[in-house]
Structures are given as structure tokens and as C-alpha cells.
Amino acid sequence: MLELLLGQIPEAIYFALFMIFTKELKSKRVLYIVLMIAEYILLKHFIKFSIWFQIAYTVVQFIMLKILYKEKAQITDIFTFAIASLVLMLSCTLPSFIILNNNDNYIIYAVLTRIIMFGFLFLFKDKLYKIQEVYKKIWNRNDATKKKIKSTTFRCLNLVVFNIMFYVINLGLIYAIYYNSFVK
Amino acid sequence: MSDKAKNLLSSLIFNIAETILIFLMGRLLSLPVNYIIIIMLTFMISRGCFGKALHFKTWYRCLVWSLLILLSLFVLLKVDLVVSIMFAIFSAFIMTGKSNICDMYLWTGKVSKYDALKNFVAISPNHPILIEHEEYWRKNYPMRYEIFQLYFRENQTYEYIAKLKGFDDNTITKRECATIYSILERPLGLPPVAR
């Protein structure tokens, strides 16, 4: 129950809010958040501690975005979602070095990571839409306009970060399993 | 030897050298030969199947980014072969024109007779002719400007625009869209609207 309240639900809300702010979604917000929570809990229930969970969550959240917002959802949203995952990874990893190494209090750790996570959203909620702007501007190839980074390079960069991210997530999961089974 | 043959030969040599380098990189990560070949073939074949592959203009960029993408897929091979194959297919899709933002708008299955202009706006949003017309409409025809923004730039529906602007029906929007298309058809070299 504690894991559900401190772990899964806030994470699902975080992902939903990140997408809402980034894509500037105005309608069906509550429905989207509720569906993201339901999806997160269901997937966590069926796919425990595996890389497949992150893959399934990425795919399902994109499908849900497509169903709810239709043409407003684009392939680039998968990468936007990856950015949200990266931020989440950082906000969970950094406190773990400080708290979990010195003190085994999971609750303090969970609360602190949630504060960082939502603090990030609160601080950057008015700036997150810029991510979408960057994708809109750079994603498609257009040689007529001068861009800071070329479309092909931008896509490659996204792909490399995206692929490596899943490897890092896998490492994180292995560490978490190790931590839960041996250290505690 | 003609220039065409020379180009073909240099391109062939480059591709062979690039493939060997990628393979060696996989071996450097101590991956099994058959797995390396599976991932390389999956990426190459999928890219070919999706069509309209994106290419770099310079050979060194192509080499560096191909190495990096395949390296990331090889790293994923350390996790699972199936995961790596899935990501190879996804990576191949992203590296084609099929993953352009405008193509994804076709999800709803609704085809607009103004799709040519919608696609043009999505691919070249800052085209000088578009900017020039937009500026003119903004000053002289604000309604046309707003409808252009909503329908062609933001890809909104007639119903959404009618609701937003408080129109009784879609007549005004449809009329403006037809006018916008007819104005831009020739300067942008768009195909005639299908009647």
C-alpha cells in the first residue's frame, strides 16, 4: 500500500503532468491522468521489475495519447516521454546515493524523490512546452531553413540517448533487485 | 571510368568499410557473431522496408552516427536479443521520412483535400512565401490569418474551429480554407484540389 501511495501513483501522475505541460494539453486532462495511473498500476502488477515494464509503459502511454488526443500525438512524444523518464531517473538516483547509502529509511528517500520530481515540474511547467517546440522545429527535414542542428543528426541523437536510456534503466533495475534482496 | 561509376565504387567501398567497422565494434563488446549479424540485418532491412531513408550529406557524419546508433543497439543486446531487435526496428523507422511529424497526422484516417498544403506547412513552417502571406493576412484579413493558423498550422478540425470562434457551422472555415489553398496553390506548386 505504501509503495502504491508513495511510489506508483506519484510516478504515474508525474508522467501524466509532464506530458500535459509539454504538449500543452487543454482537454481531457483528468481522464488522461486517471488512465495513466490505472495503466501504471496494472502494468506494474503484471510486469514486475523488468525492462519490459518500461517498454510496455512507453508504448501504452503513446497509444493512449493517440486515442485521447489523436493527431495531436506524434511519434516525437515517445522521445518526450523518454525525457520525462530521464528526469525521473535522475531525481531517484541522486538522493539514493545520499540517503540509501547512509540510512535505510525508504520513506524519507521516497518522500524526497517525490519532492524533487514534483519540484521539477513546478519549476519548469511554463518552460516544458519548449521541448515540443524544438521537436516541431527540428524533427522534419527542411533544407530551406537554417537550423542549429540538422534533422538527421537530431534524430540520431534522440535514438542513441533513447536506446542507451533503456540499458541504464535495466542496470538500475538490477541494482534495485540486488539492493532489495541482499542489502536490506 | 565515368563519374557515375566512380561515385558508385567509392560509395560501395564506404559501405563495406562501415559495415566491417560496425561488426568489429560488436565483436569488441564480446557479442556473439550471429547476434551482431541479426541486429545489423534487422536495422538495414527494416530501414529499406519503411522506405524514404534519411541520409547524411557527409560521409563522416554518416559513419559516426551509424556507429553510435548500432553501438546503442549492441549495448541493448546485453539486455536481451528481442529488446534489441525491437529497438533496431524502431530506430530504422525513425531514420526514415515515414516518421515525419506530418505523416503521423494521418492517424485519424481522415483525408483532407487540403493535405498537400498541410504537409507543406508541417515540413517547411518558415517558408518565405508562407510567412509573407501570413503577415499580409494578419494585417488585412485577421479571420483568414486565424483560420490558417488553426487549420493548417495547428491541424485543428472544422468543428473545433467553429466551436472556438463561435461559428454556427463550418461554412466560413471551409470558404477561408478554399481561398487560402487557391491563393497558395500556384506560388507553392501545390497540386489542384480534388473535386
Side-chain angles (χ1 to χ4, degrees):
Chain A
M1 192 63 187
L2 197 67
E3 196 197 332
L4 194 77
L5 288 173
L6 276 176
Q8 296 170 7
I9 293 175
E11 277 179 23
I13 294 173
Y14 160 79
F15 277 118
L17 289 177
F18 193 99
M19 296 307 282
I20 286 172
F21 293 144
T22 308
K23 292 191 67 64
E24 294 182 294
L25 302 173
K26 301 272 190 281
S27 59
K28 302 174 203 163
R29 283 175 166 194
V30 178
L31 178 65
Y32 180 59
I33 294 172
V34 170
L35 284 173
M36 284 287 270
I37 295 171
E39 171 203 333
Y40 198 91
I41 293 169
L42 281 174
L43 284 175
K44 273 262 171 174
H45 181 75
F46 291 113
I47 315 169
K48 276 183 184 171
F49 270 139
S50 145
I51 187 75
W52 288 103
F53 167 77
Q54 191 64 27
I55 295 172
Y57 192 49
T58 308
V59 173
V60 175
Q61 76 82 27
F62 178 68
I63 293 170
M64 209 164 61
L65 207 61
K66 252 314 176 199
I67 292 168
L68 283 181
Y69 298 101
K70 300 199 168 56
E71 60 270 11
K72 230 181 168 189
Q74 296 147 9
I75 193 77
T76 52
D77 294 336
I78 289 184
F79 297 102
T80 309
F81 192 72
I83 295 171
S85 304
L86 275 175
V87 174
L88 181 69
M89 272 162 67
L90 286 175
S91 58
C92 290
T93 311
L94 297 177
S96 77
F97 290 125
I98 307 159
I99 296 175
L100 295 179
N101 282 347
N102 305 320
N103 172 344
D104 277 349
N105 197 331
Y106 175 77
I107 296 175
I108 295 177
Y109 166 73
V111 171
L112 186 68
T113 52
R114 276 27 179 178
I115 291 171
I116 296 174
M117 220 162 73
F118 289 106
F120 172 85
L121 282 180
F122 180 74
L123 283 174
F124 295 101
K125 68 173 182 179
D126 297 328
K127 296 202 167 64
L128 284 174
Y129 76 94
K130 286 183 181 170
I131 295 173
Q132 197 68 10
E133 296 287 306
V134 169
Y135 276 103
K136 266 188 189 170
K137 206 172 164 188
I138 305 177
W139 190 258
N140 283 358
R141 196 169 206 173
N142 178 17
D143 294 332
T145 53
K146 190 100 180 132
K147 290 181 251 178
K148 278 183 187 166
I149 180 168
K150 290 208 178 335
S151 156
T152 323
T153 312
F154 184 65
R155 288 187 192 203
C156 288
L157 182 70
N158 272 280
L159 275 178
V160 172
V161 173
F162 184 74
N163 294 345
I164 299 284
M165 189 192 81
F166 277 85
Y167 178 71
V168 175
I169 288 173
N170 191 59
L171 280 184
L173 289 172
I174 292 169
Y175 175 76
I177 293 167
Y178 169 80
Y179 181 82
N180 280 333
S181 45
F182 295 103
V183 178
K184 271 195 162 179
Chain B
M1 203 189 286
S2 69
D3 280 352
K4 203 176 174 184
K6 271 184 193 169
N7 281 341
L8 202 72
L9 187 69
S10 56
S11 148
L12 190 71
I13 292 169
F14 171 74
N15 280 312
I16 292 170
E18 188 188 30
T19 310
I20 293 170
L21 264 175
I22 290 169
F23 179 80
L24 289 175
M25 192 177 62
R27 291 299 294 150
L28 212 68
L29 292 170
S30 312
L31 296 167
V33 174
N34 52 344
Y35 281 16
I36 298 172
I37 293 171
I38 288 172
I39 294 306
M40 286 172 75
L41 282 178
T42 308
F43 182 74
M44 288 169 192
I45 294 169
S46 313
R47 201 159 164 229
C49 289
F50 288 125
K52 290 198 284 177
L54 296 176
H55 293 284
F56 284 98
K57 283 179 183 164
T58 50
W59 66 268
Y60 54 90
R61 278 192 183 171
C62 176
L63 179 69
V64 169
W65 283 111
S66 301
L67 280 172
L68 283 173
I69 289 178
L70 266 298
L71 174 69
S72 66
L73 293 172
F74 289 155
V75 165
L76 276 173
L77 250 181
K78 297 260 180 194
V79 178
D80 188 45
L81 176 65
V82 183
V83 171
S84 191
I85 290 174
M86 280 169 57
F87 278 70
I89 297 170
F90 177 69
S91 303
F93 174 69
I94 293 297
M95 292 312 292
T96 64
K98 287 271 176 193
S99 64
N100 280 350
I101 287 176
C102 62
D103 287 349
M104 298 305 290
Y105 287 141
L106 300 178
W107 167 269
T108 52
K110 288 177 193 162
V111 179
S112 159
K113 55 184 174 181
Y114 306 122
D115 273 347
L117 180 54
K118 279 188 174 186
N119 290 344
F120 188 95
V121 173
I123 293 167
S124 306
N126 302 318
H127 195 283
I129 295 175
L130 285 180
I131 301 290
E132 187 189 318
H133 279 82
E134 268 182 294
E135 196 52 32
Y136 178 73
W137 294 331
R138 196 173 62 79
K139 285 178 188 160
N140 303 297
Y141 299 95
M143 177 67 77
R144 186 168 299 163
Y145 172 76
E146 281 180 51
I147 288 174
F148 179 80
Q149 292 293 319
L150 289 165
Y151 190 78
F152 291 100
R153 283 218 184 266
E154 293 173 25
N155 214 36
Q156 301 293 359
T157 58
Y158 288 145
E159 289 71 27
Y160 176 85
I161 298 169
K163 203 174 163 187
L164 188 79
K165 306 299 296 173
F167 300 150
D168 294 333
D169 54 24
N170 301 327
T171 317
I172 300 172
T173 315
K174 282 183 177 174
R175 196 184 60 217
E176 286 300 330
C177 285
T179 312
I180 289 167
Y181 195 92
S182 66
I183 292 171
L184 293 172
E185 185 181 328
R186 196 166 282 184
L188 298 179
L190 302 171
V193 175
R195 301 283 169 197

